[in-house]
Amino acid sequence: MHPHLVCFTPSCRAAFDITDVLYNCPKCGGLLEAAYDFGGLDPAALRKLWRERRMDNAPLAQSGVWRYRELFPFLDDTGHVITLREGNTPLLSGPRAAAYGGLDRITFKHQGFNPTGSFKDNGMTGGAAQARRLGMKRVACVSTGNTSASMAAYAVAGGLDPLIFIPNGNISYGKLAQALEYGAKTFQVEANFDQILALVRVLAEKLGIYLLNSINPFRIEGQKSIVIEMMDQRDWRVPDWIVLPGGNLGNVSAFGKGLREMLAVGLIDRLPRLAVVQAEGSSPFYEFMRDGGRGEFAAQTHPETLATAIRIGDPVSWPKAKLEIETTGGVVERATEQEIADAKAVIGHSGIGCEPASAATLAGIRKLTAAGVIDRGADVVAVLTGNVLKDPDYIYKYHTGQLQAPGGAAIRPSFGNAPVVVANDPDRIAALIG
Ligand code: F0G
């Protein structure tokens, strides 16, 4: 069986060619996913091969994504790949953060160590390779910032024209700056993420532009490598929990698919539980799953959060995310602006640092341990999705007591660390140092 695209909707499961340019099932409108026959794969041989590649200087072996390509063999020719040596992100322990989160220990998988500073690079190298394989010239995305930064870099590195659509305001300057620096044509649209996604889908169709949002199944294939690399780094010991922030819900969909496939191939012996954390003002998936995901999915028309990366009210991948939460016995939590801000400062104070959306993980963990959902002794990996320098404005405002939640409520700098303005006077400074 050749790799192919399949409709994700259980009652449909229509199959399509892997080179069809599709984002939704033409039969039922459902989401699509890549499907393979993993029948011949030997887990011991794969583990050995992947370890050997770490010592190999070939670009594809050095990529922390393509090193694991046997689990996403959708390309006919790896010559289409553009790699910036993405992945290879560390597992870091954070004792201070663990204590804050009510855990004996915590491990962070820090995707902010990626070439453009977020986990999007893992997926983008996959989507960009497919764009080149299809002979596309122009690629587009709507983004809260990280997808656009990543797409811009991979597109120009691979000779494609990037077109970026972002909400006017509500995007951090670090991310906007990256898009401009990498040379993407950038449109700041007077609308929110969900509205712009609808717009970009129309434009993509009309102008024959390839869409690189996470609705693109090849983005999801690349993002599976985050959990594959995580397990490789842990010598295939499965944690009890993997915790991640949720926005458009592409990442949790990728994690779940990757984990299920690793289980099927025999690389792992059980599934970890997945916990998705949303920002309280942008938490449609939390609301939906609160009563078991049985009702209608209700989008939020005015999502709000200072964690702008996850300011999304109508996440496209919710059906996939629902399946992955259910399959892994997972949970969905939400955190307030204050909780996210404080958790972020604690991660910073652990010498690690991350952007606001990423800190939703620790804020959520603190609530889940307090509620007895996660045990104090559990083996927990929290995925930090973006680099600390993505949103310096937020950091400065928090530490100087100027940060305000979307409604205008002040955020307390519980762990504030304001700079001290002082005259050029050694005695005075010595007295201040004490
Ligand atoms: N964390 C960060 C730093 C993000 O940039 C995003 C999404 C998420 C978490 C949520 O991941 O959407 O897969 O559930 N950012 C997208 C963007 C939407 O446009 O950069 P998700």
Side-chain angles (χ1 to χ4, degrees):
M1 184 185 68
H2 294 298
H4 55 287
L5 287 170
V6 179
C7 177
F8 181 78
T9 308
S11 57
C12 178
R13 294 305 282 175
F16 307 93
D17 199 273
I18 199 78
T19 55
D20 285 351
V21 182
L22 297 171
Y23 311 105
N24 284 97
C25 174
K27 295 214 166 112
C28 78
L31 298 166
L32 296 170
E33 63 178 358
Y36 316 98
D37 177 6
F38 288 130
L41 292 183
D42 169 11
L46 282 178
R47 289 176 179 178
K48 187 162 170 287
L49 173 69
W50 294 340
R51 275 300 156 93
E52 282 165 6
R53 283 188 184 149
R54 289 201 200 178
M55 290 180 288
D56 183 338
N57 282 329
L60 249 56
Q62 284 194 357
S63 164
V65 174
W66 297 103
R67 178 181 306 138
Y68 304 104
R69 59 189 174 274
E70 285 73 15
L71 286 196
F72 37 94
F74 62 86
L75 290 176
D76 51 349
D77 175 1
T78 52
H80 299 301
V81 170
I82 308 146
T83 174
L84 299 172
R85 312 301 186 271
E86 53 289 322
N88 299 305
T89 60
L91 292 180
L92 306 170
S93 67
R96 197 186 283 250
Y100 182 79
L103 293 170
D104 293 338
R105 65 202 154 114
I106 191 168
T107 305
F108 290 112
K109 175 134 179 85
H110 205 326
Q111 292 301 113
F113 282 61
N114 261 299
T116 77
S118 85
F119 73 101
K120 304 290 181 179
D121 294 341
N122 289 66
M124 201 54 71
T125 188
Q130 181 72 2
R132 282 172 31 122
R133 175 231 203 127
L134 296 171
M136 295 290 172
K137 299 279 176 277
R138 292 185 293 197
V139 290
C141 69
V142 54
S143 178
T144 55
N146 281 323
T147 297
S148 49
S150 182
M151 192 192 81
Y154 281 83
V156 297
L160 304 168
D161 276 344
L163 299 168
I164 281 168
F165 297 82
I166 51 176
N168 196 10
N170 289 303
I171 168 169
S172 76
Y173 268 111
K175 300 173 189 177
L176 173 57
Q178 284 180 289
L180 302 179
E181 185 79 354
Y182 296 134
K185 181 128 197 88
T186 304
F187 298 94
Q188 292 184 270
V189 186
E190 298 287 352
N192 69 26
F193 178 92
D194 308 300
Q195 296 160 328
I196 305 173
L197 181 56
L199 167 83
V200 175
R201 291 182 69 144
V202 172
L203 285 171
E205 180 98 6
K206 208 177 162 120
L207 303 175
I209 302 169
Y210 195 54
L211 201 59
L212 280 176
N213 276 102
S214 59
I215 194 163
N216 184 311
F218 304 99
R219 282 268 318 274
I220 300 293
E221 290 307 294
Q223 273 168 230
K224 287 185 334 196
S225 64
I226 299 169
V227 283
I228 305 172
E229 184 181 68
M230 181 195 298
M231 295 305 159
D232 186 5
Q233 289 167 317
R234 293 173 51 96
D235 297 319
W236 308 99
R237 275 178 294 105
V238 178
D240 298 318
W241 289 91
I242 298 177
V243 186
L244 73 164
N248 217 11
L249 304 175
N251 214 22
V252 61
S253 305
F255 283 20
K257 184 171 192 277
L259 289 162
R260 284 187 287 111
E261 290 170 348
M262 282 192 278
L263 184 68
V265 169
L267 284 158
I268 55 175
D269 56 7
R270 65 184 175 94
L271 295 175
R273 299 175 74 181
L274 291 172
V276 169
V277 189
Q278 299 208 287
E280 194 171 86
S282 303
S283 52
F285 189 54
Y286 169 86
E287 295 294 345
F288 175 61
M289 294 300 282
R290 194 144 67 158
D291 34 275
R294 279 180 291 274
E296 288 276 296
F297 187 89
Q300 289 177 355
T301 38
H302 299 291
E304 283 295 355
T305 172
L306 296 178
T308 50
I310 50 173
R311 188 171 180 266
I312 294 175
D314 193 6
V316 288
S317 292
W318 70 261
K320 290 185 175 179
K322 176 175 186 277
L323 175 98
E324 306 306 351
I325 292 294
E326 287 171 352
T327 308
T328 64
V331 296
V332 186
E333 184 52 277
R334 64 175 176 180
T336 65
E337 297 298 312
Q338 182 73 51
E339 288 165 343
I340 292 173
D342 288 339
K344 177 172 146 52
V346 171
I347 295 168
H349 208 176
S350 306
I352 294 173
C354 65
E355 70 162 279
S358 311
T361 53
L362 184 61
I365 288 167
R366 185 172 158 93
K367 298 176 91 163
L368 291 167
T369 52
V373 177
I374 299 183
D375 290 338
R376 160 167 282 284
D379 181 357
V380 179
V381 181
V383 178
L384 300 179
T385 43
N387 191 281
V388 67
L389 288 175
K390 286 280 189 176
D391 198 347
D393 196 45
Y394 179 107
I395 300 179
Y396 184 77
K397 284 188 177 151
Y398 175 84
H399 286 289
T400 55
Q402 301 172 62
L403 196 62
Q404 286 182 347
I411 297 208
R412 279 185 318 280
S414 317
F415 304 97
N417 182 26
V420 183
V421 180
V422 63
N424 183 4
D425 174 346
D427 295 336
R428 174 97 184 91
I429 296 173
L432 284 170
I433 293 171

